[in-house]
Amino acid sequence: MIVFPLRLGRSVTTTTNLKRQCSLYPCSHYTTNTVDATTIKTGFHPNTSRSNFLLKDLVANGEVSQAHQLFDQMPHRNTYSFNTLISGYVKSGNLTRARGLFDEMNVRTEVSWTILIGGYKQQNQPVDAFKLYAEMCRWGTPPDDVTFVTLLPCCNETLMTEIITQVHSHIIKLGFNYAIEVCNSLLDAYCKTGTLELANRLFIEMPTKDSVTFNTMITGYSNEGLNNQAINLFLEMKHLGLIPSEYTFAAVIRATMGINDVELGYQFHALVIKSNFVWNVFGSNSFLDFYSKHDSIDNAKQLFNEMTFVDCVSYNVIITGLVWAGKLKESLNLFHELQLTSFDRKQFPFATMLSVAANEINLEMGRQIHAQTVITDADSDVKVSNALVDMYARCDRFEEANVIFSALSHKDSVPWTAIVSAYVQKQFYNEALDLFKQMRETYVYGDQATFASTLRASANLTSLSLGKQLHSAMITSGCISNVFCGSSLLDMYAKCGYIREAVQVFDEMPSRNIVTWNAMITGYGQTGDGEATIRTFNELVNSGVKPDSVSLVGVLKGCSHSGLVDEGIAHFASMTQKYKPSIKKEHYASIIDLLCRCGRFNEAEKIMEEMPFDPDEIMLTSVLRACRVKKNLDFAKKVADDLFKMDHLRDAGAYIIMSNIYAELGQWENVSKVKREMKNRGVKKLPAQSWIEINHETHVFTANDRIHPRITEIWDKIDELGKKMENEGYKADTSVILQNVDEDVKLESLKYHSERLAIAFALICTAEGSRIVVMKNLRACVDCHSAIKVISRIVGREIVVRDSNRFHHFRNGQCSCGDYW
């Protein structure tokens, strides 16, 4: 701690008057008579007096070296000589030489100390400034009002409140608490150090207040987020007839943004225009920022075009606002216009433009901006370097992204999050999780965006153990209340089959946005709980949040998975009649799937003919699958023809379904024909895989698996279950084996389907009564569905299976899908 002793050796008034008369502020245009008069009055040697005035002129002209030469040649030097030369070095930024001269002085006045304190302030060295003030007090030199006005603006958040309060006590003891300039400086110091309670007490106790007083207090409130107090104080200031400055309006508009009151912002803008401050670029930039952040980009553009003066900040704000508003072409045009100005190029909005290149996946644009950042040395800026990492990663140039990332001198959560998020967006989930682990190992713990992105990776990999670890870390870091983190956490639990945990997260969230509601609607839909899906959708509407296209896809899929045809049709109709979101192919795919599942193929076909899109592979494959279930061979052939004519197919799914349709009808020649076409086209059937996470390790199984290290135990468990299942009345449905083979071969093949192997392994390795969650990359067959229902009753456990289409929750011999999937 810095301790400030205070010794009062003489009258403050006398000292101040003497300083003003003879120390630092003589007129630079004195005549010879004036010099002589000063010589007589001060008792200085005539030659010293004349040298001092020459010294002062040299310093005033910036000729500090010549001034020092004159100083060295002076036979008689006094305090004024030292003060003048010290002042010259301070103004030139050479604090070392200034301090050296100061240390040589035998006699120092308050002016000497104040000049050097001002030097430390100028060099942004607040601690040294206050140490010098403490030394001044120990020397017994009383400060004056100029000392305090010079010292107090040095304050910043790094200084302790105790230091300011000690200086405050000196101000009171010396009687400067009645000097408004000193009180304003002290008020500003309290505000800068975040001690608003002391600032407010001083504000109340000040005997007189001016515009600066109110400006300082309003800015302090605004900076600390006390927005209502800032606005109320502004109104009091207006009532007293005090004139606000551009800084006042900037603080007030910031407070208005804090309370998100757009109408109040408009009123303040009108007041600014009425007060003739609209010409000021600082105030105008504040309103540009206000309009840009409140979906009023047209007002921002109009203000920008009407501004008499603009600076680089003006361009930065309007360009960023245009990008947020999605007006990318206009933002690019203004960026090109900015490049023709004479503003400091290093201050250009490179980070914003790099985000445009990243979102547009425009590598060429990103590289051009990168080149400009290198030329202007802007790539050394943290925001720009982080944006470069994000741009290259989003453009699939991970090698370049990693080069820039590795070169960063300081890696906080932002660049880590940028590269993790890019991996997640490109569906490189394992790589994203590896990066997240590396980040934690370097003691960077991430923020809300980091957790949200990593939870997405965890959800898509259905890694519940990692998701739970992230949940714990979010609680520890205080991110759990963030709406985006909460939404991602909810989504993770839902995608991992833990719908009860997802509902608990949803119920405990302090605030929800459209992403939260959509995650909950989709989660219910994936479990096949159509009623809960519709109920949650209605709660969304009643909450005042407007449903978007994702909300309606979620509710349509929920209806489809539950067979709620009338409800699904009603919600599809509401899209154009009530909610009017952007209608996408996913909406049509959902309603067509719903109709086909219920056998209403004519209605589905009519919608397909009228929709503004060509049906894609996903849509037609779902129709083909419904045709198989409903035995509609004619429509299946028509849909299959459209599928097989496509230039590119993701996999052999359509061929397999059509082959199975023919096999179920016993048309083996057509089965062979379809398989030949599939082979000629080069599409391959995806092997069925199921996986389960046990003790933080994922185990993957394929049908008839023989390579798992515990496969013998697994087979024994399946045989044990088989006997119990027979006792429960289970009989295998071999019709799902669409191969022309013996019945015994079919029975043996069914026993060792991948999901059954995974369940058997879980029964061996996990505690009795615990939930079993299995993931599968393809749809479960009818026989496995029946078998797992029986197994759930035998073992007394909940078994959750997520296939490629939805979740199945098996309990006590029943499935949540109601055998409808």
Side-chain angles (χ1 to χ4, degrees):
M1 178 183 289
I2 304 171
V3 180
F4 304 113
L6 185 62
R7 302 173 189 166
L8 302 182
R10 51 184 171 170
S11 166
V12 176
T13 304
T14 304
T15 303
T16 303
N17 290 338
L18 180 61
K19 178 198 72 175
R20 289 173 176 164
Q21 290 171 6
C22 65
S23 295
L24 189 59
Y25 307 109
C27 176
S28 61
H29 300 289
Y30 282 175
T31 63
T32 304
N33 291 336
T34 306
V35 174
D36 292 341
T38 304
T39 301
I40 295 169
K41 188 173 183 179
T42 61
F44 291 168
H45 191 281
N47 290 334
T48 301
S49 231
R50 293 187 180 93
S51 296
N52 280 344
F53 280 98
L54 288 173
L55 193 68
K56 177 180 175 297
D57 286 338
L58 289 170
V59 167
N61 293 327
E63 300 174 5
V64 183
S65 297
Q66 293 89 329
H68 203 144
Q69 291 176 8
L70 173 61
F71 178 83
D72 289 340
Q73 295 168 4
M74 291 172 63
H76 302 285
R77 292 174 296 206
N78 54 27
T79 303
Y80 181 88
S81 312
F82 276 93
N83 288 348
T84 302
L85 190 55
I86 291 170
S87 175
Y89 277 120
V90 165
K91 289 177 182 177
S92 67
N94 194 336
L95 199 56
T96 302
R97 296 297 297 272
R99 183 62 195 244
L101 280 169
F102 179 83
D103 291 338
E104 292 177 14
M105 297 179 71
N106 295 320
V107 178
R108 300 167 184 160
T109 65
E110 69 275 14
V111 177
S112 313
W113 294 94
T114 301
I115 292 170
L116 195 57
I117 288 171
Y120 284 119
K121 168 190 168 185
Q122 180 181 305
Q123 296 294 321
N124 194 27
Q125 298 179 27
V127 174
D128 291 321
F130 277 85
K131 284 182 177 178
L132 187 63
Y133 174 75
E135 188 180 343
M136 175 183 182
C137 294
R138 283 193 293 271
W139 269 63
T141 306
D144 63 2
D145 55 341
V146 179
T147 307
F148 289 119
V149 171
T150 304
L151 173 71
L152 288 168
C154 296
C155 290
N156 59 25
E157 63 277 3
T158 63
L159 290 170
M160 295 184 295
T161 306
E162 289 84 355
I163 295 175
I164 312 301
T165 53
Q166 287 184 62
V167 176
H168 190 172
S169 68
H170 290 188
I171 290 170
I172 295 172
K173 289 177 181 178
L174 294 170
F176 290 116
N177 54 316
Y178 291 98
I180 191 167
E181 293 87 355
V182 175
C183 288
N184 285 341
S185 297
L186 182 60
L187 188 69
D188 183 55
Y190 278 133
C191 289
K192 283 180 178 177
T193 53
T195 50
L196 266 293
E197 183 179 351
L198 294 175
N200 189 55
R201 190 185 306 172
L202 172 63
F203 179 81
I204 293 171
E205 294 175 353
M206 284 177 65
T208 56
K209 303 179 182 73
D210 60 8
S211 296
V212 176
T213 315
F214 277 87
N215 291 344
T216 302
M217 201 65 216
I218 291 170
T219 302
Y221 278 140
S222 178
N223 289 340
E224 292 297 317
L226 301 173
N227 301 308
N228 287 313
Q229 291 92 322
I231 292 170
N232 291 334
L233 197 58
F234 174 79
L235 297 176
E236 181 183 342
M237 178 183 185
K238 290 291 295 177
H239 179 72
L240 293 173
L242 297 173
I243 300 174
S245 70
E246 60 269 24
Y247 301 104
T248 318
F249 284 118
V252 171
I253 203 63
R254 188 163 58 248
T256 305
M257 285 192 284
I259 62 174
N260 202 29
D261 192 332
V262 181
E263 290 301 322
L264 186 61
Y266 290 150
Q267 293 178 36
F268 278 125
H269 193 185
L271 180 61
V272 169
I273 296 172
K274 186 177 179 181
S275 304
N276 291 323
F277 275 104
V278 72
W279 55 266
N280 183 278
V281 68
F282 184 84
S284 296
N285 287 343
S286 299
F287 284 103
L288 271 182
D289 190 44
F290 168 77
Y291 286 127
S292 297
K293 290 178 179 175
H294 285 87
D295 297 327
S296 299
I297 192 61
D298 290 335
N299 288 332
K301 285 161 55 181
Q302 182 179 349
L303 173 59
F304 179 80
N305 293 330
E306 292 176 355
M307 287 171 63
T308 307
F309 301 101
V310 294
D311 58 12
C312 197
V313 175
S314 312
Y315 274 97
N316 282 348
V317 172
I318 191 65
I319 289 172
T320 302
L322 288 167
V323 169
W324 288 344
K327 298 180 181 293
L328 303 184
K329 186 175 181 180
E330 291 182 57
S331 69
L332 284 170
N333 290 338
L334 268 181
F335 183 70
H336 291 315
E337 181 181 311
L338 173 61
Q339 291 176 306
L340 300 176
T341 67
S342 59
F343 298 132
D344 182 5
R345 295 176 65 83
K346 191 174 182 179
Q347 304 302 320
F348 284 8
F350 290 121
T352 298
M353 301 315 297
L354 284 166
S355 72
V356 173
N359 290 325
E360 295 292 300
I361 318 297
N362 191 333
L363 181 62
E364 182 181 356
M365 174 185 170
R367 281 179 167 162
Q368 290 178 11
I369 297 172
H370 187 184
Q372 292 189 44
T373 66
V374 172
I375 293 171
T376 59
D377 196 35
D379 60 337
S380 60
D381 181 80
V382 173
K383 290 183 179 179
V384 174
S385 57
N386 291 344
L388 283 168
V389 171
D390 182 55
M391 184 275 295
Y392 279 116
R394 299 266 288 277
C395 292
D396 283 345
R397 292 297 191 271
F398 289 103
E399 185 175 348
E400 289 97 322
N402 283 318
V403 168
I404 297 171
F405 179 77
S406 300
L408 293 175
S409 58
H410 174 67
K411 299 183 183 74
D412 59 11
S413 64
V414 176
W416 280 105
T417 301
I419 202 162
V420 168
S421 299
Y423 274 116
V424 171
Q425 287 182 348
K426 298 300 178 182
Q427 300 183 9
F428 299 150
Y429 302 122
N430 285 311
E431 292 83 350
L433 294 180
D434 287 341
L435 276 171
F436 178 76
K437 291 174 185 175
Q438 292 176 32
M439 182 190 77
R440 301 282 285 189
E441 288 169 0
T442 60
Y443 302 101
V444 177
Y445 296 105
D447 55 15
Q448 296 97 325
T450 320
F451 285 118
S453 292
T454 312
L455 279 165
R456 279 183 58 197
S458 173
N460 283 283
L461 291 174
T462 61
S463 177
L464 180 68
S465 60
L466 177 61
K468 286 183 174 180
Q469 290 177 45
L470 290 168
H471 190 173
S472 176
M474 286 164 57
I475 294 172
T476 303
S477 63
C479 295
I480 192 65
S481 60
N482 178 267
V483 67
F484 294 102
C485 285
S487 301
S488 298
L489 185 64
L490 186 164
D491 184 57
M492 183 277 298
Y493 278 121
K495 284 182 176 175
C496 289
Y498 287 71
I499 193 65
R500 289 196 296 271
E501 287 77 0
V503 172
Q504 182 178 350
V505 172
F506 180 81
D507 290 340
E508 292 176 354
M509 289 179 68
S511 62
R512 301 166 183 153
N513 61 10
I514 188 63
V515 177
T516 316
W517 288 101
N518 289 346
M520 196 69 255
I521 291 168
T522 303
Y524 276 130
Q526 285 292 319
T527 62
D529 193 341
E531 293 181 358
T533 304
I534 293 172
R535 183 182 67 249
T536 307
F537 181 85
N538 291 334
E539 290 174 0
L540 159 66
V541 174
N542 294 332
S543 72
V545 179
K546 184 179 179 181
D548 62 8
S549 59
V550 178
S551 316
L552 288 154
V553 167
V555 77
L556 289 173
K557 285 187 175 180
C559 292
S560 178
H561 290 154
S562 306
L564 302 176
V565 184
D566 294 336
E567 292 86 345
I569 291 173
H571 278 93
F572 184 75
S574 72
M575 291 177 59
T576 54
Q577 299 170 7
K578 187 175 181 181
Y579 302 116
K580 299 179 181 179
S582 174
I583 301 179
K584 299 180 180 179
K585 193 175 292 186
E586 291 83 354
H587 299 109
Y588 283 96
S590 299
I591 191 65
I592 290 167
D593 182 60
L594 169 63
L595 292 169
C596 290
R597 282 169 179 269
C598 297
R600 295 165 67 163
F601 292 102
N602 291 334
E603 295 172 66
E605 188 174 11
K606 183 179 179 182
I607 291 176
M608 289 170 68
E609 291 172 352
E610 294 176 350
M611 68 181 183
F613 312 100
D614 291 328
D616 60 11
E617 179 186 357
I618 296 174
M619 184 185 297
L620 292 176
T621 302
S622 73
V623 173
L624 194 61
R625 190 176 290 114
C627 288
R628 177 191 172 189
V629 174
K630 298 297 180 181
K631 313 297 183 184
N632 190 335
L633 180 60
D634 292 335
F635 196 40
K637 287 181 178 179
K638 182 179 179 180
V639 171
D641 286 341
D642 291 337
L643 270 166
F644 299 158
K645 289 176 185 176
M646 290 184 173
D647 294 332
H648 176 73
L649 292 175
R650 295 179 308 158
D651 53 48
Y655 286 95
I656 299 299
I657 295 172
M658 201 63 210
S659 172
N660 290 341
I661 291 174
Y662 285 130
E664 288 171 354
L665 297 172
Q667 299 180 11
W668 299 109
E669 290 183 4
N670 286 332
V671 171
S672 299
K673 181 181 177 181
V674 171
K675 288 185 176 180
R676 280 196 305 271
E677 290 181 5
M678 182 176 73
K679 184 177 180 180
N680 293 335
R681 188 155 183 181
V683 292
K684 295 181 179 180
K685 178 183 178 181
L686 289 174
Q689 289 185 333
S690 295
W691 60 95
I692 187 168
E693 187 179 25
I694 296 176
N695 295 328
H696 310 299
E697 184 178 356
T698 300
H699 298 262
V700 182
F701 297 90
T702 58
N704 300 305
D705 197 319
R706 296 178 182 275
I707 62 174
H708 193 278
R710 300 181 68 177
I711 195 63
T712 302
E713 295 175 76
I714 294 170
W715 284 353
D716 291 342
K717 191 66 172 179
I718 286 178
D719 290 338
E720 176 191 327
L721 285 171
K723 294 176 183 178
K724 294 180 180 179
M725 290 164 66
E726 287 180 8
N727 295 333
E728 292 288 329
Y730 164 76
K731 186 175 181 180
D733 182 2
T734 58
S735 66
V736 300
I737 302 297
L738 301 173
Q739 296 175 356
N740 195 9
V741 295
D742 293 339
E743 192 73 10
D744 290 341
V745 176
K746 292 181 179 181
L747 286 170
E748 191 70 13
S749 175
L750 283 174
K751 283 174 61 177
Y752 302 118
H753 275 193
S754 61
E755 57 265 56
R756 298 197 202 187
L757 295 173
I759 292 170
F761 180 63
L763 290 171
I764 294 170
C765 299
T766 58
E768 290 187 11
S770 61
R771 184 170 12 181
I772 297 172
V773 181
V774 176
M775 306 294 166
K776 185 172 182 177
N777 65 331
L778 302 178
R779 295 194 71 181
C781 72
V782 174
D783 184 67
C784 283
H785 191 267
S786 300
I788 298 170
K789 286 198 295 184
V790 178
I791 292 172
S792 71
R793 183 168 64 246
I794 292 171
V795 300
R797 297 216 213 175
E798 178 185 1
I799 301 174
V800 181
V801 178
R802 190 189 82 176
D803 64 13
S804 61
N805 193 45
R806 58 167 294 162
F807 277 100
H808 299 267
H809 293 259
F810 299 92
R811 301 185 192 93
N812 301 318
Q814 301 294 322
C815 180
S816 60
C817 73
D819 297 337
Y820 180 86
W821 88 100

